[in-house]
Amino acid sequence: MQAEIVILGSGTSMGVPTLGCDCRVCTSPDPRDARLRPSIAIQWPDHCVLIDTGPDFRVQVLRERIRHIDAVFYTHAHADHILGLDDLRPLSFGRPDKIPLYADNKTGEVLERVFDYTFSPDSPYPNKARVELHRIEGTEEAIIAGASFQRIPVQHGRIEIAGFRFGSAAYLTDMSSISDESIALLSGVEIVILDALRKEPHPSHANLPEALAWAEKIGARQAWFTHMSHDLPHEETNRELPPNMRLAYDGLRIPFEL
């Protein structure tokens, strides 16, 4: 079925503009240089699935006029990927079931601790988000409204986190390396979205040269880069890239087959 990936945010944990910075990207008039914290939505008729709910979640959902969410998948428990969870509240009210959230054990434990007032059965909070946490480990899949979402293990520095494959596309944010076994799970993807923090090396994120190499190895028809710092000016960087590889930007919509 036809679907779209919506780039809700393409920035780093600090976002762009970065607080206290007056560099040429943070002060750029190009709206594609303004990057909220990293997240995507996958939309197909009458359905919407999110990957991560960062601190900018409310603004992103208002911008894209998202009014219904079928499920949320979490890549890992860092602040820039989870802190918007509480803003699921109004989207969870008035529906017959709870919004399912999918996370691995470590991420789930952090969610339950940080949002204790949401998940604790003893919570006295009457207006907590109506959500239900499900564990997803290894290379397990979850089916949402007939669409399969498969967990793809990747490395984020010293920790394993989750990427996800859905149909002919995959989302691999915060990735510093990926095993051959995980690359095999991406066989046949047409669209891949990859971490590309900056040009210089980083201990827990792919830099742009590394992201280009991973994109080549994965072999997707199109590669889009995300989780970008203020070291990568949008237009200037795109001129240096192969024609099938581009920097993503907030609000970008990418059609694909789900």
Side-chain angles (χ1 to χ4, degrees):
M1 70 187 96
Q2 282 297 117
E4 281 188 324
I5 300 166
V6 184
I7 304 295
L8 299 180
S10 59
T12 68
S13 59
M14 292 186 286
V16 183
T18 301
L19 295 180
C21 183
D22 296 317
C23 77
R24 64 191 181 107
V25 176
C26 287
T27 57
S28 169
D30 187 341
R32 297 170 300 178
D33 282 324
R35 299 165 181 152
L36 297 178
R37 266 63 75 92
S39 177
I40 64 169
I42 300 97
Q43 295 182 322
W44 66 104
D46 300 318
H47 296 291
C48 179
V49 168
L50 303 178
I51 299 183
D52 291 332
T53 54
D56 301 316
F57 172 70
R58 179 178 177 276
V59 172
Q60 293 163 334
V61 169
L62 286 171
R63 185 192 72 210
E64 300 300 332
R65 300 183 179 180
I66 294 171
R67 302 179 65 87
H68 169 80
I69 293 171
D70 290 279
V72 183
F73 288 83
Y74 285 97
T75 58
H76 63 299
H78 288 169
D80 53 324
H81 298 264
I82 69 168
L83 286 188
L85 185 150
D86 192 66
D87 285 322
L88 290 169
R89 287 189 301 135
L91 296 173
S92 74
F93 299 156
R95 53 184 286 157
D97 58 347
K98 296 181 178 181
I99 298 175
L101 313 180
Y102 293 86
D104 58 36
N105 282 326
K106 290 182 178 179
T107 302
E109 289 170 1
V110 174
L111 292 175
E112 289 171 330
R113 184 169 67 251
V114 172
F115 297 97
D116 173 75
Y117 62 90
T118 296
F119 293 104
S120 172
D122 300 322
S123 173
Y125 187 38
N127 294 318
K128 62 186 180 181
R130 298 187 66 253
V131 295
E132 186 172 48
L133 192 57
H134 302 266
R135 298 299 202 265
I136 184 169
E137 297 287 345
T139 60
E140 291 178 342
E141 298 179 56
I143 306 298
I144 308 296
S148 173
F149 291 78
Q150 182 178 23
R151 187 180 185 275
I152 307 294
V154 298
Q155 287 298 123
H156 179 25
R158 295 183 179 181
I159 65 170
E160 180 189 290
I161 67 167
F164 291 97
R165 178 177 180 165
F166 33 93
S168 64
Y171 181 66
L172 308 171
T173 188
D174 286 48
M175 186 190 85
S176 56
S177 66
I178 180 170
S179 69
D180 289 341
E181 290 79 10
S182 288
I183 286 178
L185 297 172
L186 300 172
S187 176
V189 296
E190 294 287 317
I191 309 290
V192 65
I193 301 170
L194 288 160
D195 185 4
L197 182 72
R198 60 192 190 192
K199 290 183 177 179
E200 294 75 23
H202 189 278
S204 56
H205 291 274
N207 62 16
L208 186 59
E210 290 169 333
L212 289 164
W214 290 122
E216 288 281 357
K217 191 167 185 178
I218 291 166
R221 177 173 53 85
Q222 292 181 33
W224 295 91
F225 301 121
T226 192
H227 204 291
M228 296 168 294
S229 75
H230 57 178
D231 295 321
L232 295 179
H234 186 92
E235 187 60 35
E236 179 182 315
T237 305
N238 270 349
R239 288 197 294 266
E240 303 170 2
L241 299 178
N244 65 326
M245 300 184 189
R246 287 290 181 265
L247 303 190
Y249 56 88
D250 294 18
L252 172 68
R253 291 178 172 262
I254 306 168
F256 76 105
E257 188 72 21
L258 182 60

